[in-house]
């Protein structure tokens, strides 16, 4: 079997088109422009690239984009004051504080200072609790993107056996909850799971989010299973030349693709969906804040 490639880049473009359409209608019908504020503390190169991309895509779909770039030495009190101002700004519907933060800042304290209604990353403890109890919440962007791709590929995933490899608060745990909410039978596995290969082999859906390059080989994959690879790992690639690197996922793509029914590539799979879902979450937050009908197909 040769797996169908789930093109995250193309699917993300479709999501952004839907977001842009909703933004246009909000402006035309209600005079409202969804606003997203991104806060970056320090000068981490990867974070800077990510923030630039978020700002560019926010503007492209017609939303208001606000960036606050703070010095690495910014005090916790000053950061919390900025977040409080954004919480009270009616033109800002989504707030994202780029992680990781410098070591002197308490990430949990900072994230939980964001209004849950504006927490478009879905990391606030209130949103975690709401998601965990099946209530309306803001949903973390990467798991939401994975769910959207699974729904698009399968139509319905109800009754399917899903294994999530990885137990992080950002991906693994919310991914498992979203799959449960869609009536999958879900196992959360991790690096210490006994007989991990056998656990993975029974799955109709495998979501790999463990952060270990090419950890999952093809012989762990059930024939015809759908593989969602969340991992983004950089490895040396001497075959490309001295000092060159390549991106790989948490699954060994070639061997897994030989057995799977469908698989996401790295790059070009889950990655592009994360920012697309951030934009979708901002529109959802804007609609909820204004008592308007939520956009269909852009949330869990």
């Amino acid at each position: 079997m040769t797996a169908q490639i789930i093109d995250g880049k193309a699917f993300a473009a479709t999501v952004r088109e839907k977001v842009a359409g909703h933004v246009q209608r909000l402006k035309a019908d209600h005079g409202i422009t969804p606003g997203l504020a991104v806060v970056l503390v320090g000068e981490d190169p990867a974070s800077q690239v990510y923030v630039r991309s978020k700002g560019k895509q926010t503007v492209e779909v017609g939303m208001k984009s606000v960036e606050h770039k703070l010095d690495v030495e910014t005090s916790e009190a000053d950061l919390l004051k900025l977040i409080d101002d954004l919480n009270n700004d009616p033109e800002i519907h989504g707030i994202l504080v780029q992680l990781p933060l410098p070591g002197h800042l308490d990430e949990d304290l900072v994230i939980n200072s964001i209004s849950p209604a504006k927490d478009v990353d879905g990391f606030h403890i209130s949103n975690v609790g709401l998601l965990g109890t099946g209530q309306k919440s803001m949903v973390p962007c990467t798991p939401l993107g994975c769910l959207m791709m699974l729904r698009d590929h399968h139509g319905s995933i109800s009754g399917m056996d899903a294994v999530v490899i990885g137990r992080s608060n950002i991906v693994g745990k919310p991914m498992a909850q979203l799959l449960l909410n869609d009536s999958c039978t879900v196992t959360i596995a991790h690096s210490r799971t006994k007989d991990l290969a056998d656990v993975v082999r029974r799955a109709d859906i495998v979501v790999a989010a463990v952060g270990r390059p090419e950890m999952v080989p093809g012989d762990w994959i059930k024939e015809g299973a759908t593989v969602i690879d969340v991992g983004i790992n950089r490895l040396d690639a001497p075959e490309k030349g001295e000092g060159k690197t390549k991106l790989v996922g948490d699954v060994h793509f070639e061997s897994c693709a030989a057995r799977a029914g469908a698989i996401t590539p790295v790059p070009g799979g889950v990655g592009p969906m994360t920012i697309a879902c951030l934009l979708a979450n901002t529109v959802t937050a804007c609609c909820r804040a204004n008592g308007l009908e939520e956009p269909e197909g852009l949330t869990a």
Side-chain angles (χ1 to χ4, degrees):
M1 175 176 291
T2 301
Q4 176 183 341
I5 303 302
I6 299 176
D7 188 339
K9 190 174 181 180
F11 192 66
T14 300
V15 172
R16 290 195 302 273
E17 285 179 12
K18 291 180 181 178
V19 169
H22 285 293
V23 170
Q24 189 175 21
R25 286 189 287 276
L26 283 169
K27 289 179 177 180
D29 297 345
H30 304 284
I32 300 169
T33 300
L36 172 64
V38 178
V39 180
L40 174 64
V41 184
E43 299 181 354
D44 178 77
S47 292
Q48 287 181 321
V49 171
Y50 198 40
V51 166
R52 280 198 299 270
S53 182
K54 288 173 181 175
K56 180 174 180 287
Q57 293 189 36
T58 302
V59 172
E60 285 176 348
V61 297
M63 297 197 297
K64 177 180 179 178
S65 175
V66 177
E67 293 181 10
H68 292 274
K69 296 181 179 179
L70 307 181
D71 186 86
V72 68
E73 300 296 336
T74 297
S75 70
E76 198 163 81
D78 286 345
L79 178 55
L80 294 176
K81 174 62 168 61
L82 171 60
I83 292 172
D84 186 58
D85 291 342
L86 294 171
N87 283 339
N88 291 296
D89 185 342
E91 294 188 359
I92 296 298
H93 304 96
I95 303 169
L96 182 148
V97 177
Q98 183 64 42
L99 303 179
L101 291 172
H104 68 284
L105 300 173
D106 183 334
E107 288 191 356
D108 289 338
L109 176 64
V110 170
I111 294 303
N112 288 322
S113 71
I114 298 171
S115 167
K118 296 188 178 187
D119 167 39
V120 286
D121 252 343
F123 295 163
H124 192 287
I125 190 65
S126 293
N127 282 317
V128 174
L130 290 167
L131 177 62
T133 52
Q135 300 179 68
K136 184 182 292 186
S137 68
M138 297 308 302
V139 179
C141 301
T142 298
L144 178 58
C146 295
L147 181 69
M148 285 183 178
M149 289 191 290
L150 285 167
R151 285 173 170 173
D152 181 71
H153 179 71
H154 287 286
S156 171
I157 57 175
S158 177
M160 298 180 77
D161 194 330
V163 170
V164 179
I165 311 173
R167 50 182 168 174
S168 73
N169 292 331
I170 293 174
V171 180
K173 291 176 184 176
M175 186 75 250
Q177 192 60 57
L178 288 171
L179 291 165
L180 274 174
N181 291 349
D182 261 31
S183 299
C184 287
T185 299
V186 182
T187 301
I188 302 179
H190 45 81
S191 58
R192 296 190 182 183
T193 298
K194 291 183 179 180
D195 302 320
L196 179 58
D198 288 338
V199 171
V200 176
R201 283 190 189 104
R202 70 168 185 254
D204 304 308
I205 295 169
V206 177
V207 181
V210 74
R212 294 191 179 187
E214 300 181 330
M215 173 183 167
V216 179
D219 64 3
W220 288 16
I221 302 300
K222 176 182 177 180
E223 286 279 353
T226 300
V227 178
I228 305 294
D229 192 348
V230 181
I232 300 178
N233 310 283
R234 192 171 292 278
L235 296 181
D236 292 334
E239 70 276 9
K240 293 185 176 182
E242 186 176 351
K244 297 293 186 180
T245 60
K246 62 181 178 180
L247 290 178
V248 300
D250 288 352
V251 310
H252 185 270
F253 182 81
E254 288 78 11
S255 61
C256 289
R259 292 178 61 85
I263 190 169
T264 59
V266 176
V270 173
M273 286 297 295
T274 299
I275 296 181
C277 288
L278 173 67
L279 304 177
N281 276 350
T282 303
V283 172
T284 297
C286 177
C287 291
R288 290 177 181 174
N290 289 279
L292 300 173
E293 187 176 352
E294 294 178 24
E296 187 176 348
L298 293 183
T299 188

